Amino acid sequence: MESSAAGVGFDAGQRQLSGQKVRRIVDAMRHCVAERGIAGATFEHVSREAGVSRGLLHYYFGTKERLLIEVLRRDAETRIAMLDEPLAAAETADDVIAVLVAGAENVLRDDPGFYVILYELFTAGRQNPDIQAELAGLYRRSRQQVAQALRRKDAEGVLSLRFDADSIVTYMFAAADGGALQRLTDPERDYSATVEAGAEVARFLLTSA
């Protein structure tokens, strides 16, 4: 992982991250990871692709890890927000399950780099408590948003949750992350039956009848 510039630590990530330049930087990092992998996605490559100076990267993000977290955060927020409308429109438990399964499948199909970054940051977080805290916060916010959607469906009578929503979502996220790791490791295997099994487990968790 690339270290921070002199005098710029992980707290640099607390600066306001907004504007077109920051979006270009985040997009450039995502593209570099897809093309070069995590190790090859250096600040030099990212700054060149984004059309900004390395100094600006250090100013906004401080470290390569912080930039990776920002990429992951924006991607996660976008993908979870995309669940809001179809979940709100779901009229049956099967509708809810279909939305959740499709969301997970779309990430694996369209943006497997999301999981590559996630696993890289998990590894880095084992040695860096700041990264671990950032990643934990990202998980927490994502869980809360999906759990709120499930609670609304429970209140509407669409679902009948067997356990509290937070616990169910924690399990679902863990299953999705673990399944993604296996599928990225062995992409030639047919996982259709595994997806069906996961849907049945979700049905058990979401319906008590």
Side-chain angles (χ1 to χ4, degrees), residues 109-205:
R109 183 186 66 245
D110 300 333
D111 188 19
F114 174 86
Y115 284 107
V116 174
I117 295 174
L118 176 64
Y119 299 138
E120 181 77 11
L121 288 173
F122 169 78
T123 301
R126 302 291 292 172
Q127 304 298 324
N128 187 322
D130 290 325
I131 296 174
Q132 184 178 21
E134 289 279 347
L135 195 56
L138 174 61
Y139 263 116
R140 184 167 53 252
R141 292 188 296 273
S142 299
R143 285 196 307 267
Q144 288 172 348
Q145 189 168 347
V146 177
Q148 286 174 358
L150 295 187
R151 290 190 193 98
R152 286 194 293 268
K153 292 288 108 178
D154 187 66
E156 293 170 9
V158 174
L159 301 178
S160 180
L161 304 180
R162 287 182 183 267
F163 306 95
D164 66 276
D166 288 326
S167 296
I168 291 174
V169 174
T170 298
Y171 175 84
M172 287 181 170
F173 277 18
D177 291 346
L181 179 61
Q182 293 187 57
R183 292 173 70 170
L184 291 172
T185 302
D186 187 9
E188 300 304 317
R189 182 184 174 194
D190 181 4
Y191 291 91
S192 56
T194 303
V195 173
E196 290 180 14
E200 287 303 311
V201 172
R203 184 172 289 105
F204 173 82
L205 294 172

Side-chain angles (χ1 to χ4, degrees), residues 2-97:
E2 196 164 314
S3 61
S4 63
V8 181
F10 204 80
D11 288 343
Q14 300 303 313
R15 294 191 175 97
Q16 182 65 33
L17 302 177
S18 61
Q20 187 61 34
K21 281 187 178 179
V22 175
R23 284 193 291 273
R24 289 210 314 268
I25 292 168
V26 170
D27 289 343
M29 178 53 123
R30 186 186 296 108
H31 185 257
C32 283
V33 168
E35 280 204 338
R36 304 171 183 274
I38 295 288
T42 64
F43 268 14
E44 180 178 354
H45 290 125
V46 174
S47 63
R48 187 183 306 124
E49 180 156 336
V52 300
S53 68
R54 285 188 59 176
L56 190 64
L57 294 185
H58 285 297
Y59 174 79
Y60 273 117
F61 301 100
T63 66
K64 178 177 172 178
E65 292 91 342
R66 186 63 184 82
L67 176 50
L68 287 169
I69 285 173
E70 184 63 16
V71 173
L72 197 67
R73 182 188 69 79
R74 292 187 179 218
D75 284 353
E77 288 180 354
T78 297
R79 294 189 182 284
I80 289 179
M82 289 173 64
L83 298 177
D84 287 345
E85 186 174 341
L87 282 177
E91 297 181 350
T92 67
D94 284 343
D95 291 342
V96 172
I97 293 167

